[in-house]
Amino acid sequence: MAQNARLDHRNPLVFDTHELGRRPGALQRLTRTVTAPRDLGVAGVIGVPEGAPVELELRLESVMEGVLVTGTARAQAEGECVRCLEPVELELEADFQEMFSYPDADDRGRVIAEPGDDAEDDEDRLFLEDGMFDLEPLLRDAVVLALPMQPVCQEDCPGLCSECGARLADDPDHHHDAVDIRWAALQGLAGTMKDGEKDEMSGAEAGVDEKQEK
């Protein structure tokens, strides 16, 4: 990855590493609660709502080539059950680790005169900018990996009735009487015959009544 765009130290997801002083082995532990950015999760499936609190625990370790960032993010995710479409809430815990390289050092920590000469290497690297790094891209990747791709309200959720859409968990005995379509025409014919018989019976009864009147 190319060098980060200009970072804003006021952004709560931007962290300053100057306290480490580029001393290999130096450690710094940080805790911070931030608000979730937009689209933090799997779009249309499940994610952390924008503005919801996200608790961060970070461990910053200075190494020869940069700063190794290890951390955990905790938040509450919300989504929809893929089987019955009911709301789903779950406690999210996402772990992550990434190296943020010094822009003036190669992969062995040696200072180089002009950083970024090797474009292929830079594609896979994240860089510190003025001693700062942006955690948001790393946080997004970690959250997506930690979330279920097919969230369910419960492991044995039976879903919805394929015929009427009723939620089966609310009515375990829910069912529809199956009708064999091969008999449907005969049932209709039987109904027609019964109606004809009724008409004949009505006609016969009318004839009897007329004879009695005579």
Side-chain angles (χ1 to χ4, degrees), residues 160-168 174-176:
L160 302 176
C161 174
S162 60
E163 294 192 35
C164 68
R167 187 169 182 262
L168 299 179
H174 179 86
H175 71 283
H176 294 270

Side-chain angles (χ1 to χ4, degrees), residues 6-16 32 34 132:
R6 188 71 180 178
L7 299 182
D8 184 352
H9 69 277
R10 295 169 296 183
N11 184 334
L13 287 172
V14 170
F15 291 81
D16 193 329
R32 182 180 296 181
V34 301
M132 298 184 294

Side-chain angles (χ1 to χ4, degrees), residues 72-85:
T72 300
R74 297 182 179 87
Q76 181 165 290
E78 298 178 2
E80 188 177 79
C81 177
V82 296
R83 297 179 188 170
C84 70
L85 308 182

Side-chain angles (χ1 to χ4, degrees), residues 19-193:
E19 189 174 319
L20 296 174
R22 293 187 71 157
R23 300 184 304 275
L27 294 175
Q28 184 180 10
R29 297 183 183 276
L30 301 171
T31 58
R32 182 180 296 181
T33 299
V34 301
T35 57
R38 292 182 59 186
D39 303 323
L40 184 60
V42 183
V45 180
I46 190 168
V48 181
E50 181 180 2
V54 179
E55 297 179 2
L56 300 173
E57 292 183 5
L58 301 180
R59 179 179 183 269
L60 312 184
E61 180 180 1
S62 179
V63 295
M64 288 294 294
E65 63 267 33
V67 176
L68 180 64
V69 177
T70 305
T72 300
R74 297 182 179 87
Q76 181 165 290
E78 298 178 2
E80 188 177 79
C81 177
V82 296
R83 297 179 188 170
C84 70
L85 308 182
E86 286 293 300
V88 171
E89 294 184 355
L90 59 86
E91 295 298 321
L92 168 72
E93 183 170 306
D95 297 321
F96 49 86
Q97 185 176 72
E98 186 61 73
M99 170 68 69
F100 288 87
S101 301
Y102 297 124
D104 59 350
D106 64 12
D107 58 2
R108 295 184 180 180
R110 299 173 300 189
V111 174
I112 55 180
E114 296 183 8
D117 287 343
D118 192 332
E120 290 186 5
D121 288 347
D122 289 353
E123 284 294 324
D124 299 324
R125 299 172 68 186
L126 296 175
F127 290 90
L128 294 169
E129 181 188 315
D130 297 329
M132 298 184 294
F133 66 87
D134 185 1
L135 189 67
E136 184 172 338
L138 182 57
L139 176 63
R140 287 187 179 279
D141 290 345
V143 167
V144 168
L145 290 175
L147 287 170
M149 293 296 101
Q150 294 188 317
V152 292
C153 58
Q154 55 189 28
E155 290 299 325
D156 59 349
C157 174
L160 302 176
C161 174
S162 60
E163 294 192 35
C164 68
R167 187 169 182 262
L168 299 179
D170 295 334
D171 183 8
D173 297 325
H174 179 86
H175 71 283
H176 294 270
D177 292 330
V179 177
D180 192 328
I181 59 174
R182 293 173 297 180
W183 293 100
L186 293 177
Q187 289 177 346
L189 180 59
T192 302
M193 293 176 64

